[in-house]
Amino acid sequence: MFKFLLSLFSSPELLLQVMSQRDIAESIEDDERILIDEDGSATVNIYSKEVHEDFARHVNALKRA
């Protein structure tokens, strides 16, 4: 266990779970909400059903305000 923790802190990129373009394409197909590319940039998956539901909920809240 100690070796595992030590290896994580010696290579912080493992903590970010950076994704290749292929991984991103698979994540979009798997309906994941947030994608992080190899450069560390976060992107919202606009094809995710949950993202569409969140957006609709926020729009409806703004309409009521």
Side-chain angles (χ1 to χ4, degrees), residues 3-31:
K3 289 181 182 180
F4 174 72
L5 290 175
L6 187 59
S7 69
L8 283 178
F9 289 109
S10 65
S11 59
E13 64 274 0
L14 291 177
L15 292 173
L16 293 177
Q17 297 178 349
V18 293
M19 303 172 77
S20 67
Q21 291 297 325
R22 181 176 176 211
D23 293 335
I24 290 173
E26 289 175 1
S27 295
I28 289 172
E29 291 175 7
D30 292 342
D31 207 31

Side-chain angles (χ1 to χ4, degrees), residues 42-53:
T43 306
V44 174
N45 178 5
I46 61 170
Y47 302 107
S48 170
K49 179 182 174 185
E50 292 174 340
V51 170
H52 283 265
E53 291 170 355

Side-chain angles (χ1 to χ4, degrees), residues 29-46:
E29 291 175 7
D30 292 342
D31 207 31
E32 292 185 21
R33 295 174 70 145
I34 297 177
L35 312 169
I36 300 176
D37 67 10
E38 294 170 331
D39 297 327
S41 301
T43 306
V44 174
N45 178 5
I46 61 170

